[in-house]
Amino acid sequence: MEAYYRERAAVYDEFYQVSRRQDDLVALRSWVVERVQNSTILEVAAGTGYWTEVAAPAAKTITATDCNPETLAIAAQRSLGSHVSLIVADAYQLPEFPDTFSAGMAMLWWSHVHRQRRQEFLSHFASRLAPGALILMFDQFYIEGLSSPISRRDEWNNLYTERVLPNGKTFEIVKNYPTDDEIIETFSDLCEHVEIARLREFWTVSARLRR
């Protein structure tokens, strides 16, 4: 996964230029901005910083992390502002921070979390957030004929798909498509007010950590 996104960094933002996604992206940008007003945000899997840039004008501060310096180098070229910090960090081994955060973001990340590690990731992420913090995530759901075909399942029922980059390299990556019930079940252990919505190609979840 890390190698795939490192290799894809230069062309990743083409994802946001696909015409059929534009209505969803407008809705998602509004959804993010409305919810991060004046927040101190910890973002994991920030990638090229597309959603960091969306949130930056509304947020008080953002600490955006990703495991790949190559994608964060692209994020650094955006107009993020001095209140945004970019840090290379593994989503499963986040550093200790001086303060906790009032919100957490992880966009287009949940589908890449192995099913058996969902609770591990969420608990670790929550440990860096303040009690009552808002968690925001969204990701894609499977659409026959549009989504990349599923190449296999493993013993944990994780789904995999093959991706071919413009340079010809092929990668097999985890790409899960959780049901609403699965999302609620995972988040409800730590959170309350779990709210899910579905657009044409994306689902969203917002949830509050219990105090």
Side-chain angles (χ1 to χ4, degrees):
M1 185 74 69
E2 184 177 346
Y4 169 68
Y5 280 103
R6 181 170 60 248
E7 295 274 353
R8 190 184 169 190
V11 297
Y12 181 82
D13 283 4
E14 292 177 3
F15 174 90
Y16 300 113
Q17 297 165 14
V18 177
S19 58
R20 71 172 190 270
R21 295 186 177 126
Q22 297 313 304
D23 288 347
D24 274 10
L25 292 174
V26 169
L28 288 171
R29 286 193 290 267
S30 295
W31 181 83
V32 169
V33 170
E34 288 171 7
R35 286 161 177 77
V36 300
Q37 297 288 332
N38 244 3
S39 296
T40 57
I41 301 171
L42 174 61
E43 182 181 13
V44 299
T48 60
Y50 182 95
W51 295 103
T52 316
E53 188 173 41
V54 168
K60 186 175 180 180
T61 66
I62 303 178
T63 300
T65 69
D66 196 273
C67 64
N68 274 319
E70 290 82 0
T71 55
L72 289 183
I74 295 172
Q77 297 172 22
R78 298 182 185 273
S79 300
L80 299 177
S82 59
H83 65 308
V84 178
S85 302
L86 303 175
I87 298 175
V88 177
D90 186 327
Y92 296 93
Q93 294 180 314
L94 294 167
E96 297 284 350
F97 297 100
D99 300 298
T100 54
F101 300 85
S102 65
M105 296 195 331
M107 309 314 195
L108 297 169
W109 162 247
W110 194 249
S111 60
H112 301 311
V113 177
H114 288 80
R115 294 168 63 91
Q116 69 272 27
R117 299 193 74 183
R118 286 173 177 170
Q119 203 64 61
E120 173 194 349
F121 163 72
L122 193 59
S123 296
H124 179 61
F125 190 31
S127 73
R128 300 302 189 264
L129 306 178
L134 182 66
I135 296 178
L136 300 173
M137 296 188 193
F138 64 75
D139 215 315
Q140 296 169 284
F141 54 86
Y142 187 81
I143 303 174
E144 191 68 40
L146 290 180
S147 303
S148 300
I150 296 166
S151 57
R152 68 180 176 94
R153 297 173 185 261
D154 66 15
E155 66 273 24
W156 294 93
N157 206 31
N158 292 297
L159 306 180
Y160 293 79
T161 184
E162 290 188 352
R163 300 284 179 85
V164 181
L165 296 180
N167 62 12
K169 290 186 178 180
T170 300
F171 294 83
E172 186 181 60
I173 64 168
V174 174
K175 186 68 175 177
N176 287 317
Y177 300 97
T179 65
D180 289 2
D181 286 345
E182 287 175 332
I183 296 169
I184 290 170
E185 181 181 0
T186 305
F187 277 74
S188 292
D189 283 350
L190 294 170
C191 301
E192 56 188 3
H193 307 304
V194 181
E195 299 178 358
I196 298 172
R198 287 186 176 250
L199 306 175
R200 183 172 183 269
E201 291 191 37
F202 301 89
W203 55 262
T204 67
V205 61
S206 66
R208 289 252 175 221
L209 284 180
R210 291 194 179 88
R211 296 183 182 275

